[in-house]
Amino acid sequence: MTMPFYVSPEQQMKDRADFARKNISRGRGVAVLQYDNGIVLVAENRSPALHKISEIYDRIVFAAVGRYNEFENLRVAGVRSADMRGYSYDRRDVTARGLANFYAQVLGTIFSSVTEKPYEVELFVAEVGATADQDQIYRLTYDGSVADERGFAVMGGSTEQINAYLEQRYQPGQPLSAALALAVEALGQDGDGTRQLGATQLEVAVLDRTRTQKRKFRRLVGPALERLLTSGESTIATPGSASAQPGGAPEGGPANPPPDPA
C-alpha cells in the first residue's frame, strides 16, 4: 500500500493562489475612476454581447475579469441576493458593502475548499452616492479578500503598469470626458509598449449621480462614446502640466486659473 503524497496547507494555499493569479493576469484590464458626477468603469472588451460590466441594483455596478462563466455565475447570484433583500426589506438596504461581503464569503469558501479549484476571477462592486465622498468602490480578489478603494482602481492584465500610470495622472473632480480618456490611455499601457484603443475595443459604463431616476447605471456606446473619447483626448492631465491642476477648465465651461503661489 502506497502512502498518500503529503502537501502542507501553506503550500496548498500558495499553489492555489499562484494558479488563480496567473490565469487572471492573462485577461485584459478593467479600470474604475471617480469623476465629478459619478463613477466610470472602462474595460478592454471586443465582444458586444459578453459583458465585463453589468448593473446589479439601482446605484450598484459589478465588473469582473477572469474566467467568464465563473464571474457570470457570481453576477447572477449577486442580482438575486440584491433583489431578495430589496424585496424583503427596502431598496435602500441594498448596498455595495453588503454585496461585497456576500461575494467575499463565496470566494473565500471556494478558495479554502480542497475539493474544487479556486475561482479565476477578480471583482469590482461600486456604488454611487449623493456626493463623491459617499461613493463606494470595493475590489475583491480570488481568495475573498476585500479592499476599499478611493479615486481609482485597476484589476486584471498588467495591473502594476496601469496603476502606476494612473497614480501619476489622476486628479479628483475631473469631468467624465477627461476621466474616460485617462482610463483608456492607462489601459493602453497593458502589455509591451503603448496601444491605442478605439471605441469598438472598449466596454464603458457609468454610475451617474445626476440622473433623476433611481437607476443610476448607464452604458456608453456608439456615437455617444466616440464623442466623449474625442472631446477627452485633449484634456488628459500630464504631470506638471496646466491641465493637471484642479482649477483647470471644466467640461464645456470657462477656465478658472489657480491662484498665484504664496
Side-chain angles (χ1 to χ4, degrees), residues 222-235:
L225 176 58
E226 292 175 359
R227 283 195 300 270
L228 278 171
L229 288 173
T230 302
S231 62
E233 286 176 356
S234 61
T235 63

Side-chain angles (χ1 to χ4, degrees), residues 187-225:
L187 291 177
Q189 309 303 310
D190 187 0
D192 298 329
T194 301
R195 297 177 297 120
Q196 299 293 328
L197 300 176
T200 58
Q201 300 169 281
L202 298 170
E203 180 183 357
V204 181
V206 296
L207 289 172
D208 184 354
R209 79 174 98 257
T210 64
R211 300 190 83 190
T212 56
Q213 56 265 57
K214 289 182 178 179
R215 297 177 64 181
K216 307 300 183 182
F217 180 84
R218 178 166 59 96
R219 291 193 184 277
L220 298 177
V221 296
L225 176 58

Side-chain angles (χ1 to χ4, degrees), residues 137-158:
I137 303 171
Y138 298 99
R139 178 183 175 183
L140 294 99
T141 55
Y142 51 85
D143 61 352
S145 299
V146 185
D148 182 11
E149 306 284 358
R150 299 298 301 174
F152 66 89
V154 182
M155 63 183 178
S158 303

Side-chain angles (χ1 to χ4, degrees), residues 21 38 41 49 52 83 91 118 127 135 141 145 152 163 180 182 188-189 194 198 206 229 232 239 245-246 248 257-258:
R21 275 197 301 263
L41 300 98
K52 291 183 176 181
D83 282 344
R91 299 183 76 90
E127 177 180 356
D135 291 346
T141 55
S145 299
F152 66 89
N163 197 68
L180 173 59
L182 177 59
Q189 309 303 310
T194 301
V206 296
L229 288 173
Q245 301 298 327

Side-chain angles (χ1 to χ4, degrees), residues 20 53 68 80 106 141-142 188 204:
I53 305 169
Y68 178 80
R80 289 173 177 168
V106 173
T141 55
Y142 51 85
V204 181

Side-chain angles (χ1 to χ4, degrees), residues 27-197:
R28 295 300 184 184
V30 175
V32 54
L33 289 79
Q34 289 180 272
Y35 69 98
D36 56 356
N37 288 323
I39 301 171
V40 58
L41 300 98
V42 185
E44 186 177 353
N45 184 9
R46 291 170 171 78
S47 172
L50 304 178
H51 297 305
K52 291 183 176 181
I53 305 169
S54 300
E55 180 184 25
I56 290 284
Y57 212 63
D58 294 342
R59 309 176 308 278
I60 303 173
V61 68
F62 168 98
V65 295
R67 188 175 289 274
Y68 178 80
N69 67 308
E70 292 177 347
F71 69 67
E72 180 65 10
N73 286 338
L74 292 171
R75 183 193 68 82
V76 172
V79 171
R80 289 173 177 168
S81 175
D83 282 344
M84 182 63 69
R85 186 170 186 82
Y87 179 77
S88 300
Y89 301 99
D90 188 90
R91 299 183 76 90
R92 292 171 294 181
D93 293 324
V94 182
T95 63
R97 183 173 62 179
L99 280 167
N101 290 334
F102 167 76
Y103 284 133
Q105 293 175 21
V106 173
L107 289 170
T109 300
I110 294 172
F111 183 77
S112 302
S113 174
V114 297
T115 60
E116 55 183 324
K117 76 170 187 65
Y119 269 20
E120 303 162 48
V121 297
E122 287 189 1
L123 311 177
F124 279 136
V125 179
E127 177 180 356
V128 67
T131 65
D133 292 337
Q134 295 175 340
D135 291 346
Q136 300 177 44
I137 303 171
Y138 298 99
R139 178 183 175 183
L140 294 99
T141 55
Y142 51 85
D143 61 352
S145 299
V146 185
D148 182 11
E149 306 284 358
R150 299 298 301 174
F152 66 89
V154 182
M155 63 183 178
S158 303
T159 305
E160 293 182 0
Q161 292 175 250
I162 302 172
N163 197 68
Y165 190 89
L166 288 172
E167 280 182 349
Q168 295 178 358
R169 293 163 174 80
Y170 175 78
Q171 293 289 333
Q174 290 179 317
L176 175 58
S177 59
L180 173 59
L182 177 59
V184 173
E185 273 221 350
L187 291 177
Q189 309 303 310
D190 187 0
D192 298 329
T194 301
R195 297 177 297 120
Q196 299 293 328
L197 300 176

